[in-house]
Amino acid sequence: MEERDNIKKNIKIVFFGTPEFAVESLGRLVDKGFDIAAVVTMPDKIAGRGHKLIQSDVKKYALEKGLRILQPTNLKSEEFLETLREINADLFIVIAFRMLPESVWSMPRLGTFNLHGSLLPKYRGAAPINRAIMNGEKETGITTFFLKHEIDTGDMIEQRKTPISDDDNVGTVYDRLMKMGAEMVESTVNSIIAGNLKTYPQPEGEFIAAPKIFREDCAIDWNKDAEQIHNQVRGLSPYPAAFTTIVEKSGRRLDAKIYKTALSTKPANGPEPGTCIEEGRRLLVATGNGMIEILELQPAGKKRMETAAFLLGYHPEKMLNQ
């Protein structure tokens, strides 16, 4: 154990990451005594009405721990590459970061590995957790793999699975994978240090794309089946959230985000898709096949609320296809 701890302290790591998902793994490495020689994260962004500089979650953590921070705007710039050469790290770790050029990922002697939020080769791309839930998958997981030229295609190191329950949404699965991922990153680094690492190529023929989520992915089409819409809502909740336009019985229209739904056993009985049915403090909506119940939503300009509270002030007649 003492020998491994000494080796651990002598292995220099550069960590690449940006969001909260990456912070969990970085924090675990720091807590376990690994030498994080530098943290590479996205440049600060100007956002909001006050035009404030917004720092990434990884940068905030790195500042708190006094870690060296690099924020290159160009990953191929000679200045950045020279800085990495001077650090002379043994290993690079990438979690939820931009695509690295070969001049970067090929640099360390022990290689560069990535933690990805899916069971590769399924769901390669920027939004693997969202897309798995939106597609109605019953399980997902995490994978560590070494980088190569094509994105998310390198030889796999470790893989772990977790079920997706009917009550899960992207928030609950994200939190679970974030914690599982931190454990697996540590395990992968320990295997690399011990020299007993085994890798295996990704299976052919199982590829599913997981592209970035765009606004059109969030718009609800009530002509779709109830189950499809339910999975869309779960796969986008709590962020960025599925949305629709509600037409009230008075004719007033309002936009709303839909955060939680449930499949209803009540037969549609013929109303056209988007038709709203109030049953006491419950709200059912007809779809292309079956009924769906709205449980939580957020009208534009209001707070997120349960449907019972929403129906105290609103009387929806129809949900419009987006």
Side-chain angles (χ1 to χ4, degrees):
M1 178 67 73
E2 183 178 347
E3 181 181 356
R4 174 173 288 189
D5 287 342
N6 288 334
I7 295 173
K8 184 188 295 185
K9 292 175 183 176
N10 290 329
I11 295 289
K12 279 188 185 180
I13 297 172
V14 173
F15 186 94
F16 296 73
T18 294
E20 178 192 20
F21 193 84
V23 173
E24 189 81 15
S25 293
L26 176 58
R28 190 176 184 93
L29 294 173
V30 170
D31 291 344
K32 295 293 183 177
F34 290 96
D35 180 7
I36 306 299
V39 170
V40 185
T41 191
M42 65 178 290
D44 299 347
K45 295 192 299 186
I46 297 176
R49 294 180 179 177
H51 299 287
K52 294 181 179 179
L53 277 178
I54 305 298
Q55 299 174 337
S56 74
D57 292 325
V58 163
K59 180 177 179 179
K60 291 174 184 175
Y61 176 84
L63 285 171
E64 179 185 322
K65 295 297 180 179
L67 301 174
R68 182 178 182 182
I69 300 169
L70 305 176
Q71 295 180 275
T73 54
N74 182 358
L75 297 175
K76 295 182 179 180
S77 74
E78 187 54 38
E79 180 183 1
F80 175 60
L81 293 176
E82 185 56 34
T83 299
L84 290 180
R85 293 188 196 104
E86 290 173 357
I87 292 172
N88 194 28
D90 302 284
L91 177 69
F92 289 173
I93 300 173
V94 184
I95 304 176
F97 193 68
R98 293 141 59 191
M99 185 175 178
L100 296 184
E102 184 177 359
S103 55
V104 173
W105 60 256
S106 64
M107 194 178 293
R109 67 180 183 85
L110 295 177
T112 299
F113 79 82
N114 179 272
L115 174 72
H116 187 72
S118 81
L119 297 173
L120 290 174
K122 292 183 177 179
Y123 298 102
R124 292 175 183 157
I129 305 174
N130 303 85
R131 297 291 181 182
I133 300 172
M134 291 169 74
N135 286 348
E137 297 283 1
K138 298 302 182 183
E139 73 172 5
T140 186
I142 47 173
T143 307
T144 51
F145 67 97
F146 282 113
L147 294 192
K148 59 183 286 188
H149 294 285
E150 297 81 11
I151 188 167
D152 297 340
T153 61
D155 287 350
M156 297 189 291
I157 305 167
E158 292 189 52
Q159 196 167 74
R160 298 181 188 177
K161 298 179 180 180
T162 185
I164 301 175
S165 74
D166 293 339
D167 294 328
D168 271 323
N169 61 26
V170 72
T172 58
V173 176
Y174 179 100
D175 288 345
R176 198 154 66 242
L177 292 183
M178 183 170 64
K179 291 176 172 58
M180 289 172 58
E183 295 173 1
M184 201 164 77
V185 165
E186 181 191 0
S187 172
T188 298
V189 175
N190 282 333
S191 295
I192 291 172
I193 290 173
N196 58 10
L197 188 74
K198 293 183 179 179
T199 62
Y200 49 104
Q202 296 186 28
E204 296 291 336
E206 296 183 17
F207 166 71
I208 300 176
K212 181 179 177 180
I213 299 294
F214 292 98
R215 179 175 171 81
E216 54 265 31
D217 295 306
C218 303
I220 297 175
D221 179 355
W222 297 100
N223 290 309
K224 291 184 177 180
D225 292 353
E227 187 172 359
Q228 287 179 287
I229 295 171
H230 177 60
N231 290 337
Q232 178 188 15
V233 170
R234 294 192 304 132
L236 297 169
S237 180
Y239 182 82
F243 69 86
T244 189
T245 297
I246 300 173
V247 181
E248 292 196 85
K249 292 175 181 177
S250 65
R252 182 177 64 156
R253 296 188 179 196
L254 64 145
D255 294 328
K257 293 181 177 180
I258 309 296
Y259 288 101
K260 189 174 182 180
T261 56
L263 296 175
S264 173
T265 57
K266 183 180 178 68
N269 292 330
E272 67 178 49
T275 301
C276 297
I277 301 171
E278 289 186 53
E279 292 188 345
R281 292 302 174 196
R282 299 174 62 201
L283 176 60
L284 302 177
V285 184
T287 73
N289 182 20
M291 302 286 288
I292 196 167
E293 182 175 358
I294 308 298
L295 299 178
E296 292 183 22
L297 70 167
Q298 182 178 12
K302 304 293 183 179
K303 293 182 179 180
R304 177 174 171 172
M305 63 184 74
E306 294 183 354
T307 299
F310 171 76
L311 292 176
L312 292 175
Y314 300 90
H315 298 285
E317 181 175 45
K318 185 174 180 62
M319 305 277 190
L320 296 181
N321 289 328
Q322 299 294 307

